[in-house]
Amino acid sequence: MGRWAIAVHGGAGIDPNLPVERQEQAKQLLTRCLNLGIAALRSNVSAIDVVELVVRELETDPLFNSGRGSALTENGTVEMEASIMDGTKRRCGAVSGITTVKNPISLARLVMDKSPHSYLAFSGAEDFARTEGVETVDNDYFVTEDNVGMLKLAKEANSILFDYRVPLIGCAAVTDSPLQMNGLPISIYAPETVGCVVVDREGRCAAGTSTGGLMNKMMGRIGDSPLIGAGTYASELCGVSCTGEGEAIIRSTLARDVSAVMEYKGVGLQEAVDYVIKHRLDEGFAGLIAVSNKGEVVCGFNSNGMFRGCATEDGFMEVAMWE
Amino acid sequence: MGRWAIAVHGGAGIDPNLPVERQEQAKQLLTRCLNLGIAALRSNVSAIDVVELVIRELETDPLFNSGRGSALTEQGTVEMEASIMDGTKRRCGAVSGITTVKNPISLARLVMDKSPHSYLAFSGAEEFARKQGVEIVDNEYFVTEDNVGMLKLAKEANSILFDYRIPLGCAGAAVTDSPIVMNGLPISIYAPETVGCVVVDREGRCAAGTSTGGLMNKMMGRIGDSPLIGAGTYASELCGVSCTGEGEAIIRSTLARDVSAVMEYKGVGLQEAVDYVIKHRLDEGFAGLIAVSNKGEVVCGFNCNGMFRGCATEDGFMEVAMWE
């Protein structure tokens, strides 16, 4: 019997001036979610079930950018997306354009298990949700005051969230923190997509990612989080969840490449993660968490920090933000 | 200076009982599109531009399952999707849930070039289209009589289009006519005729694009492999790839990306990479792909019953085929 391992993340690319209070809240949330997953793993809950239940917890908490607390579209609404993948047979499910489903990761799971398709979006996904009887709420449920304020700043910064371009102008936020991601000053960018990767005692790997997407995004914009191979991937060898600049993650098929490097180059998890972070992102900024079927857990990022927590059955546990 | 190469496809998985007339029409369309691309390549049009113009031609012709002639949703409407990728800097653009834009591949191109994002869908994509001033038509424009008939058959066959499951029961003569099943439907109804094009130009730049109406009788909002970068479409410095077939199989095997990944990580050439992914990545799934390399090679591979395809290289090689 193998040994379990689990990792969670709350986004890559952190404002160096993030208030200490917020840093503490983030660490507490990551710790709580890790412990939830650990308890489940000790009860032999399967990897895919652990991924779902941990990501549900992250979505329900308003702190990070998923479910309640999601970043807002240019119209001030919330459009969420998520994907989940079961490494055992590489089954997968994804949703985008979710506006009333309380837990998008669970809807993605239902797409995988109960629909004839792999990916459902917008009103079709919402119809499916109602047919399946999942919990639905008004869109306002997901909108927090914090994010209403952030949206205002993003618009004032007078820069469109370019996935890969440099913005024309900045605002006061720029002088505060000259770091930029996705074309916005990092204090506004809020890339706090969430994710979880798990390997259980049977050596089964699974991964899931959930997000509200980019602050001030265009309606209908789809990022990397619901895209299998980009934001999420799981195989017999590993489970991977990514976060950061969506376009960079998509064009580098970041999550898939961790597994591909292991499969095609025959290297281990740490080497594969180091390789993709170093070689696949070009000028893009992103991070990822990954587990292997051997019970290893690895985090990697080339951005300014990543909210993350990892634990293994050996008793290792760590919650961190910076290098 | 390198040598150009181009390939086009009109879907993988062909009904062995497809009427000869239809087979001829398909070959003529593929030939016409190839020639269009060849003429452009001889005029030094860039790979990405050739991909777009060839796919526009495939979308405009009602024969295959893209643009006009798209498969219908369960409600009898058309929802199209497409993606395009420029291997040079691995830039990409994609759209889904397109209902009024005449050429989805061009909208995907605009997402890549003119929007701050990589992928736009449904009403957001349609709004973007209007702002960009692309050609708009009513949804009925895309609906053909043929497909209205196909939808009826699909519903009568009493099987939901399972991306990867075996249907519980197929009614209808269709099953006895052609026991081949793809995506849970008899092949005579399945109509997987997604279209695609891959090109390498004289500068050695690779590009790829894919466009489709998706699965016949699909649920509203269903997204398949065609707009997903790494699944249906991929291009890098080394190659350009476009896939077609069972959507779920292509997604879970990240088929297009894997051709390039095998070349990059195992250091093998295009033919070997294509053979490898077709053999090892699809498991029980059925699909096909076309690919070009920055060396001017062109390769097609598929594990299903035929694939509509055409290939040509600057050396003078040209072939349009359907079966093995």
Side-chain angles (χ1 to χ4, degrees), chain B residues 196-220:
Chain B
C197 179
V198 294
V199 172
V200 56
D201 59 26
R202 283 179 171 143
E203 311 292 322
R205 297 173 296 209
C206 299
T210 312
S211 179
T212 191
L215 276 184
M216 186 65 74
N217 200 28
K218 66 181 178 179
M219 290 170 70
M220 307 299 286

mmCIF file with all atom_site columns, all heavy atoms in Angstrom, chain B residues 196-220:
data_model
loop_
_atom_site.group_PDB
_atom_site.id
_atom_site.type_symbol
_atom_site.label_atom_id
_atom_site.label_alt_id
_atom_site.label_comp_id
_atom_site.label_asym_id
_atom_site.label_entity_id
_atom_site.label_seq_id
_atom_site.pdbx_PDB_ins_code
_atom_site.Cartn_x
_atom_site.Cartn_y
_atom_site.Cartn_z
_atom_site.occupancy
_atom_site.B_iso_or_equiv
_atom_site.pdbx_formal_charge
_atom_site.auth_seq_id
_atom_site.auth_comp_id
_atom_site.auth_asym_id
_atom_site.auth_atom_id
_atom_site.pdbx_PDB_model_num
ATOM 1   N N   . GLY B 1 196 ? -10.050 20.858 -40.032 1.00 0.00 ? 196 GLY B N   1
ATOM 2   C CA  . GLY B 1 196 ? -8.821  21.434 -39.518 1.00 0.00 ? 196 GLY B CA  1
ATOM 3   C C   . GLY B 1 196 ? -7.795  21.620 -40.600 1.00 0.00 ? 196 GLY B C   1
ATOM 4   O O   . GLY B 1 196 ? -7.922  21.066 -41.697 1.00 0.00 ? 196 GLY B O   1
ATOM 5   N N   . CYS B 1 197 ? -6.771  22.389 -40.258 1.00 0.00 ? 197 CYS B N   1
ATOM 6   C CA  . CYS B 1 197 ? -5.694  22.657 -41.209 1.00 0.00 ? 197 CYS B CA  1
ATOM 7   C C   . CYS B 1 197 ? -4.419  22.898 -40.430 1.00 0.00 ? 197 CYS B C   1
ATOM 8   O O   . CYS B 1 197 ? -4.433  23.539 -39.382 1.00 0.00 ? 197 CYS B O   1
ATOM 9   C CB  . CYS B 1 197 ? -6.047  23.888 -42.043 1.00 0.00 ? 197 CYS B CB  1
ATOM 10  S SG  . CYS B 1 197 ? -4.774  24.342 -43.234 1.00 0.00 ? 197 CYS B SG  1
ATOM 11  N N   . VAL B 1 198 ? -3.321  22.347 -40.935 1.00 0.00 ? 198 VAL B N   1
ATOM 12  C CA  . VAL B 1 198 ? -2.010  22.608 -40.351 1.00 0.00 ? 198 VAL B CA  1
ATOM 13  C C   . VAL B 1 198 ? -1.077  23.009 -41.473 1.00 0.00 ? 198 VAL B C   1
ATOM 14  O O   . VAL B 1 198 ? -1.184  22.501 -42.599 1.00 0.00 ? 198 VAL B O   1
ATOM 15  C CB  . VAL B 1 198 ? -1.453  21.375 -39.601 1.00 0.00 ? 198 VAL B CB  1
ATOM 16  C CG1 . VAL B 1 198 ? -2.317  21.066 -38.378 1.00 0.00 ? 198 VAL B CG1 1
ATOM 17  C CG2 . VAL B 1 198 ? -1.364  20.163 -40.499 1.00 0.00 ? 198 VAL B CG2 1
ATOM 18  N N   . VAL B 1 199 ? -0.208  23.947 -41.156 1.00 0.00 ? 199 VAL B N   1
ATOM 19  C CA  . VAL B 1 199 ? 0.668   24.500 -42.193 1.00 0.00 ? 199 VAL B CA  1
ATOM 20  C C   . VAL B 1 199 ? 2.046   24.791 -41.627 1.00 0.00 ? 199 VAL B C   1
ATOM 21  O O   . VAL B 1 199 ? 2.169   25.264 -40.497 1.00 0.00 ? 199 VAL B O   1
ATOM 22  C CB  . VAL B 1 199 ? 0.072   25.836 -42.731 1.00 0.00 ? 199 VAL B CB  1
ATOM 23  C CG1 . VAL B 1 199 ? 1.053   26.533 -43.659 1.00 0.00 ? 199 VAL B CG1 1
ATOM 24  C CG2 . VAL B 1 199 ? -1.250  25.586 -43.442 1.00 0.00 ? 199 VAL B CG2 1
ATOM 25  N N   . VAL B 1 200 ? 3.068   24.522 -42.425 1.00 0.00 ? 200 VAL B N   1
ATOM 26  C CA  . VAL B 1 200 ? 4.397   25.070 -42.149 1.00 0.00 ? 200 VAL B CA  1
ATOM 27  C C   . VAL B 1 200 ? 4.755   25.856 -43.409 1.00 0.00 ? 200 VAL B C   1
ATOM 28  O O   . VAL B 1 200 ? 4.579   25.365 -44.527 1.00 0.00 ? 200 VAL B O   1
ATOM 29  C CB  . VAL B 1 200 ? 5.440   23.977 -41.827 1.00 0.00 ? 200 VAL B CB  1
ATOM 30  C CG1 . VAL B 1 200 ? 5.553   22.925 -42.921 1.00 0.00 ? 200 VAL B CG1 1
ATOM 31  C CG2 . VAL B 1 200 ? 6.804   24.615 -41.556 1.00 0.00 ? 200 VAL B CG2 1
ATOM 32  N N   . ASP B 1 201 ? 5.215   27.088 -43.200 1.00 0.00 ? 201 ASP B N   1
ATOM 33  C CA  . ASP B 1 201 ? 5.534   27.927 -44.358 1.00 0.00 ? 201 ASP B CA  1
ATOM 34  C C   . ASP B 1 201 ? 7.026   27.875 -44.667 1.00 0.00 ? 201 ASP B C   1
ATOM 35  O O   . ASP B 1 201 ? 7.785   27.121 -44.033 1.00 0.00 ? 201 ASP B O   1
ATOM 36  C CB  . ASP B 1 201 ? 5.040   29.368 -44.141 1.00 0.00 ? 201 ASP B CB  1
ATOM 37  C CG  . ASP B 1 201 ? 5.641   30.042 -42.922 1.00 0.00 ? 201 ASP B CG  1
ATOM 38  O OD1 . ASP B 1 201 ? 6.760   29.658 -42.502 1.00 0.00 ? 201 ASP B OD1 1
ATOM 39  O OD2 . ASP B 1 201 ? 4.997   30.943 -42.356 1.00 0.00 ? 201 ASP B OD2 1
ATOM 40  N N   . ARG B 1 202 ? 7.455   28.665 -45.630 1.00 0.00 ? 202 ARG B N   1
ATOM 41  C CA  . ARG B 1 202 ? 8.856   28.608 -46.068 1.00 0.00 ? 202 ARG B CA  1
ATOM 42  C C   . ARG B 1 202 ? 9.816   29.121 -45.003 1.00 0.00 ? 202 ARG B C   1
ATOM 43  O O   . ARG B 1 202 ? 11.009  28.847 -45.058 1.00 0.00 ? 202 ARG B O   1
ATOM 44  C CB  . ARG B 1 202 ? 9.031   29.422 -47.348 1.00 0.00 ? 202 ARG B CB  1
ATOM 45  C CG  . ARG B 1 202 ? 8.508   28.712 -48.580 1.00 0.00 ? 202 ARG B CG  1
ATOM 46  C CD  . ARG B 1 202 ? 8.692   29.570 -49.817 1.00 0.00 ? 202 ARG B CD  1
ATOM 47  N NE  . ARG B 1 202 ? 8.392   28.806 -51.019 1.00 0.00 ? 202 ARG B NE  1
ATOM 48  C CZ  . ARG B 1 202 ? 7.795   29.300 -52.099 1.00 0.00 ? 202 ARG B CZ  1
ATOM 49  N NH1 . ARG B 1 202 ? 7.425   30.581 -52.118 1.00 0.00 ? 202 ARG B NH1 1
ATOM 50  N NH2 . ARG B 1 202 ? 7.559   28.533 -53.150 1.00 0.00 ? 202 ARG B NH2 1
ATOM 51  N N   . GLU B 1 203 ? 9.277   29.877 -44.031 1.00 0.00 ? 203 GLU B N   1
ATOM 52  C CA  . GLU B 1 203 ? 10.122  30.342 -42.933 1.00 0.00 ? 203 GLU B CA  1
ATOM 53  C C   . GLU B 1 203 ? 10.225  29.286 -41.832 1.00 0.00 ? 203 GLU B C   1
ATOM 54  O O   . GLU B 1 203 ? 10.820  29.543 -40.781 1.00 0.00 ? 203 GLU B O   1
ATOM 55  C CB  . GLU B 1 203 ? 9.537   31.618 -42.305 1.00 0.00 ? 203 GLU B CB  1
ATOM 56  C CG  . GLU B 1 203 ? 9.148   32.704 -43.284 1.00 0.00 ? 203 GLU B CG  1
ATOM 57  C CD  . GLU B 1 203 ? 10.357  33.303 -43.961 1.00 0.00 ? 203 GLU B CD  1
ATOM 58  O OE1 . GLU B 1 203 ? 11.398  33.461 -43.280 1.00 0.00 ? 203 GLU B OE1 1
ATOM 59  O OE2 . GLU B 1 203 ? 10.282  33.585 -45.179 1.00 0.00 ? 203 GLU B OE2 1
ATOM 60  N N   . GLY B 1 204 ? 9.559   28.156 -42.045 1.00 0.00 ? 204 GLY B N   1
ATOM 61  C CA  . GLY B 1 204 ? 9.580   27.106 -41.022 1.00 0.00 ? 204 GLY B CA  1
ATOM 62  C C   . GLY B 1 204 ? 8.623   27.366 -39.875 1.00 0.00 ? 204 GLY B C   1
ATOM 63  O O   . GLY B 1 204 ? 8.709   26.714 -38.829 1.00 0.00 ? 204 GLY B O   1
ATOM 64  N N   . ARG B 1 205 ? 7.711   28.313 -40.055 1.00 0.00 ? 205 ARG B N   1
ATOM 65  C CA  . ARG B 1 205 ? 6.744   28.605 -38.998 1.00 0.00 ? 205 ARG B CA  1
ATOM 66  C C   . ARG B 1 205 ? 5.561   27.649 -39.123 1.00 0.00 ? 205 ARG B C   1
ATOM 67  O O   . ARG B 1 205 ? 5.011   27.487 -40.197 1.00 0.00 ? 205 ARG B O   1
ATOM 68  C CB  . ARG B 1 205 ? 6.224   30.042 -39.116 1.00 0.00 ? 205 ARG B CB  1
ATOM 69  C CG  . ARG B 1 205 ? 7.288   31.099 -38.929 1.00 0.00 ? 205 ARG B CG  1
ATOM 70  C CD  . ARG B 1 205 ? 6.755   32.484 -39.230 1.00 0.00 ? 205 ARG B CD  1
ATOM 71  N NE  . ARG B 1 205 ? 6.368   32.640 -40.626 1.00 0.00 ? 205 ARG B NE  1
ATOM 72  C CZ  . ARG B 1 205 ? 6.412   33.809 -41.273 1.00 0.00 ? 205 ARG B CZ  1
ATOM 73  N NH1 . ARG B 1 205 ? 6.836   34.897 -40.633 1.00 0.00 ? 205 ARG B NH1 1
ATOM 74  N NH2 . ARG B 1 205 ? 6.013   33.899 -42.527 1.00 0.00 ? 205 ARG B NH2 1
ATOM 75  N N   . CYS B 1 206 ? 5.183   27.069 -38.010 1.00 0.00 ? 206 CYS B N   1
ATOM 76  C CA  . CYS B 1 206 ? 4.065   26.122 -37.980 1.00 0.00 ? 206 CYS B CA  1
ATOM 77  C C   . CYS B 1 206 ? 2.831   26.783 -37.386 1.00 0.00 ? 206 CYS B C   1
ATOM 78  O O   . CYS B 1 206 ? 2.932   27.620 -36.493 1.00 0.00 ? 206 CYS B O   1
ATOM 79  C CB  . CYS B 1 206 ? 4.403   24.909 -37.122 1.00 0.00 ? 206 CYS B CB  1
ATOM 80  S SG  . CYS B 1 206 ? 5.809   23.963 -37.709 1.00 0.00 ? 206 CYS B SG  1
ATOM 81  N N   . ALA B 1 207 ? 1.672   26.389 -37.883 1.00 0.00 ? 207 ALA B N   1
ATOM 82  C CA  . ALA B 1 207 ? 0.412   26.885 -37.335 1.00 0.00 ? 207 ALA B CA  1
ATOM 83  C C   . ALA B 1 207 ? -0.646  25.805 -37.498 1.00 0.00 ? 207 ALA B C   1
ATOM 84  O O   . ALA B 1 207 ? -0.516  24.905 -38.332 1.00 0.00 ? 207 ALA B O   1
ATOM 85  C CB  . ALA B 1 207 ? -0.023  28.162 -38.034 1.00 0.00 ? 207 ALA B CB  1
ATOM 86  N N   . ALA B 1 208 ? -1.685  25.894 -36.673 1.00 0.00 ? 208 ALA B N   1
ATOM 87  C CA  . ALA B 1 208 ? -2.745  24.889 -36.717 1.00 0.00 ? 208 ALA B CA  1
ATOM 88  C C   . ALA B 1 208 ? -4.081  25.521 -36.362 1.00 0.00 ? 208 ALA B C   1
ATOM 89  O O   . ALA B 1 208 ? -4.130  26.509 -35.622 1.00 0.00 ? 208 ALA B O   1
ATOM 90  C CB  . ALA B 1 208 ? -2.439  23.768 -35.731 1.00 0.00 ? 208 ALA B CB  1
ATOM 91  N N   . GLY B 1 209 ? -5.148  24.929 -36.875 1.00 0.00 ? 209 GLY B N   1
ATOM 92  C CA  . GLY B 1 209 ? -6.485  25.426 -36.547 1.00 0.00 ? 209 GLY B CA  1
ATOM 93  C C   . GLY B 1 209 ? -7.499  24.313 -36.686 1.00 0.00 ? 209 GLY B C   1
ATOM 94  O O   . GLY B 1 209 ? -7.309  23.372 -37.470 1.00 0.00 ? 209 GLY B O   1
ATOM 95  N N   . THR B 1 210 ? -8.585  24.418 -35.898 1.00 0.00 ? 210 THR B N   1
ATOM 96  C CA  . THR B 1 210 ? -9.632  23.397 -35.902 1.00 0.00 ? 210 THR B CA  1
ATOM 97  C C   . THR B 1 210 ? -10.970 24.100 -35.721 1.00 0.00 ? 210 THR B C   1
ATOM 98  O O   . THR B 1 210 ? -11.055 25.080 -34.978 1.00 0.00 ? 210 THR B O   1
ATOM 99  C CB  . THR B 1 210 ? -9.405  22.412 -34.736 1.00 0.00 ? 210 THR B CB  1
ATOM 100 O OG1 . THR B 1 210 ? -8.041  21.992 -34.727 1.00 0.00 ? 210 THR B OG1 1
ATOM 101 C CG2 . THR B 1 210 ? -10.290 21.181 -34.858 1.00 0.00 ? 210 THR B CG2 1
ATOM 102 N N   . SER B 1 211 ? -12.010 23.613 -36.386 1.00 0.00 ? 211 SER B N   1
ATOM 103 C CA  . SER B 1 211 ? -13.321 24.258 -36.277 1.00 0.00 ? 211 SER B CA  1
ATOM 104 C C   . SER B 1 211 ? -14.415 23.209 -36.365 1.00 0.00 ? 211 SER B C   1
ATOM 105 O O   . SER B 1 211 ? -14.308 22.246 -37.137 1.00 0.00 ? 211 SER B O   1
ATOM 106 C CB  . SER B 1 211 ? -13.476 25.288 -37.402 1.00 0.00 ? 211 SER B CB  1
ATOM 107 O OG  . SER B 1 211 ? -14.735 25.921 -37.357 1.00 0.00 ? 211 SER B OG  1
ATOM 108 N N   . THR B 1 212 ? -15.481 23.382 -35.593 1.00 0.00 ? 212 THR B N   1
ATOM 109 C CA  . THR B 1 212 ? -16.518 22.361 -35.588 1.00 0.00 ? 212 THR B CA  1
ATOM 110 C C   . THR B 1 212 ? -17.860 22.879 -35.109 1.00 0.00 ? 212 THR B C   1
ATOM 111 O O   . THR B 1 212 ? -17.938 23.931 -34.458 1.00 0.00 ? 212 THR B O   1
ATOM 112 C CB  . THR B 1 212 ? -16.110 21.193 -34.675 1.00 0.00 ? 212 THR B CB  1
ATOM 113 O OG1 . THR B 1 212 ? -17.005 20.092 -34.866 1.00 0.00 ? 212 THR B OG1 1
ATOM 114 C CG2 . THR B 1 212 ? -16.177 21.600 -33.209 1.00 0.00 ? 212 THR B CG2 1
ATOM 115 N N   . GLY B 1 213 ? -18.918 22.117 -35.406 1.00 0.00 ? 213 GLY B N   1
ATOM 116 C CA  . GLY B 1 213 ? -20.225 22.365 -34.811 1.00 0.00 ? 213 GLY B CA  1
ATOM 117 C C   . GLY B 1 213 ? -20.402 21.432 -33.616 1.00 0.00 ? 213 GLY B C   1
ATOM 118 O O   . GLY B 1 213 ? -21.350 21.548 -32.853 1.00 0.00 ? 213 GLY B O   1
ATOM 119 N N   . GLY B 1 214 ? -19.463 20.497 -33.428 1.00 0.00 ? 214 GLY B N   1
ATOM 120 C CA  . GLY B 1 214 ? -19.520 19.600 -32.277 1.00 0.00 ? 214 GLY B CA  1
ATOM 121 C C   . GLY B 1 214 ? -20.346 18.346 -32.544 1.00 0.00 ? 214 GLY B C   1
ATOM 122 O O   . GLY B 1 214 ? -20.598 17.974 -33.671 1.00 0.00 ? 214 GLY B O   1
ATOM 123 N N   . LEU B 1 215 ? -20.739 17.699 -31.471 1.00 0.00 ? 215 LEU B N   1
ATOM 124 C CA  . LEU B 1 215 ? -21.455 16.425 -31.566 1.00 0.00 ? 215 LEU B CA  1
ATOM 125 C C   . LEU B 1 215 ? -22.914 16.611 -31.938 1.00 0.00 ? 215 LEU B C   1
ATOM 126 O O   . LEU B 1 215 ? -23.605 17.478 -31.387 1.00 0.00 ? 215 LEU B O   1
ATOM 127 C CB  . LEU B 1 215 ? -21.454 15.735 -30.202 1.00 0.00 ? 215 LEU B CB  1
ATOM 128 C CG  . LEU B 1 215 ? -20.290 14.889 -29.769 1.00 0.00 ? 215 LEU B CG  1
ATOM 129 C CD1 . LEU B 1 215 ? -20.602 14.251 -28.440 1.00 0.00 ? 215 LEU B CD1 1
ATOM 130 C CD2 . LEU B 1 215 ? -19.977 13.822 -30.791 1.00 0.00 ? 215 LEU B CD2 1
ATOM 131 N N   . MET B 1 216 ? -23.389 15.753 -32.821 1.00 0.00 ? 216 MET B N   1
ATOM 132 C CA  . MET B 1 216 ? -24.804 15.779 -33.158 1.00 0.00 ? 216 MET B CA  1
ATOM 133 C C   . MET B 1 216 ? -25.613 15.486 -31.892 1.00 0.00 ? 216 MET B C   1
ATOM 134 O O   . MET B 1 216 ? -25.292 14.581 -31.130 1.00 0.00 ? 216 MET B O   1
ATOM 135 C CB  . MET B 1 216 ? -25.077 14.712 -34.232 1.00 0.00 ? 216 MET B CB  1
ATOM 136 C CG  . MET B 1 216 ? -26.488 14.721 -34.769 1.00 0.00 ? 216 MET B CG  1
ATOM 137 S SD  . MET B 1 216 ? -26.927 16.232 -35.682 1.00 0.00 ? 216 MET B SD  1
ATOM 138 C CE  . MET B 1 216 ? -26.020 15.982 -37.225 1.00 0.00 ? 216 MET B CE  1
ATOM 139 N N   . ASN B 1 217 ? -26.667 16.285 -31.693 1.00 0.00 ? 217 ASN B N   1
ATOM 140 C CA  . ASN B 1 217 ? -27.556 16.087 -30.533 1.00 0.00 ? 217 ASN B CA  1
ATOM 141 C C   . ASN B 1 217 ? -26.888 16.393 -29.194 1.00 0.00 ? 217 ASN B C   1
ATOM 142 O O   . ASN B 1 217 ? -27.323 15.922 -28.147 1.00 0.00 ? 217 ASN B O   1
ATOM 143 C CB  . ASN B 1 217 ? -28.108 14.646 -30.527 1.00 0.00 ? 217 ASN B CB  1
ATOM 144 C CG  . ASN B 1 217 ? -29.368 14.473 -29.694 1.00 0.00 ? 217 ASN B CG  1
ATOM 145 O OD1 . ASN B 1 217 ? -30.148 15.403 -29.526 1.00 0.00 ? 217 ASN B OD1 1
ATOM 146 N ND2 . ASN B 1 217 ? -29.547 13.290 -29.125 1.00 0.00 ? 217 ASN B ND2 1
ATOM 147 N N   . LYS B 1 218 ? -25.835 17.186 -29.221 1.00 0.00 ? 218 LYS B N   1
ATOM 148 C CA  . LYS B 1 218 ? -25.137 17.489 -27.971 1.00 0.00 ? 218 LYS B CA  1
ATOM 149 C C   . LYS B 1 218 ? -26.002 18.348 -27.069 1.00 0.00 ? 218 LYS B C   1
ATOM 150 O O   . LYS B 1 218 ? -26.893 19.072 -27.514 1.00 0.00 ? 218 LYS B O   1
ATOM 151 C CB  . LYS B 1 218 ? -23.821 18.219 -28.256 1.00 0.00 ? 218 LYS B CB  1
ATOM 152 C CG  . LYS B 1 218 ? -23.977 19.620 -28.857 1.00 0.00 ? 218 LYS B CG  1
ATOM 153 C CD  . LYS B 1 218 ? -22.619 20.275 -29.143 1.00 0.00 ? 218 LYS B CD  1
ATOM 154 C CE  . LYS B 1 218 ? -22.810 21.646 -29.778 1.00 0.00 ? 218 LYS B CE  1
ATOM 155 N NZ  . LYS B 1 218 ? -21.536 22.335 -30.047 1.00 0.00 ? 218 LYS B NZ  1
ATOM 156 N N   . MET B 1 219 ? -25.686 18.289 -25.786 1.00 0.00 ? 219 MET B N   1
ATOM 157 C CA  . MET B 1 219 ? -26.334 19.162 -24.803 1.00 0.00 ? 219 MET B CA  1
ATOM 158 C C   . MET B 1 219 ? -25.934 20.602 -25.108 1.00 0.00 ? 219 MET B C   1
ATOM 159 O O   . MET B 1 219 ? -24.821 20.873 -25.577 1.00 0.00 ? 219 MET B O   1
ATOM 160 C CB  . MET B 1 219 ? -25.849 18.838 -23.385 1.00 0.00 ? 219 MET B CB  1
ATOM 161 C CG  . MET B 1 219 ? -26.349 17.502 -22.869 1.00 0.00 ? 219 MET B CG  1
ATOM 162 S SD  . MET B 1 219 ? -25.527 17.034 -21.330 1.00 0.00 ? 219 MET B SD  1
ATOM 163 C CE  . MET B 1 219 ? -26.210 18.220 -20.187 1.00 0.00 ? 219 MET B CE  1
ATOM 164 N N   . MET B 1 220 ? -26.836 21.517 -24.821 1.00 0.00 ? 220 MET B N   1
ATOM 165 C CA  . MET B 1 220 ? -26.506 22.939 -24.951 1.00 0.00 ? 220 MET B CA  1
ATOM 166 C C   . MET B 1 220 ? -25.313 23.215 -24.049 1.00 0.00 ? 220 MET B C   1
ATOM 167 O O   . MET B 1 220 ? -25.247 22.682 -22.926 1.00 0.00 ? 220 MET B O   1
ATOM 168 C CB  . MET B 1 220 ? -27.681 23.811 -24.501 1.00 0.00 ? 220 MET B CB  1
ATOM 169 C CG  . MET B 1 220 ? -28.993 23.490 -25.176 1.00 0.00 ? 220 MET B CG  1
ATOM 170 S SD  . MET B 1 220 ? -28.915 23.735 -26.954 1.00 0.00 ? 220 MET B SD  1
ATOM 171 C CE  . MET B 1 220 ? -28.923 25.535 -27.046 1.00 0.00 ? 220 MET B CE  1
#
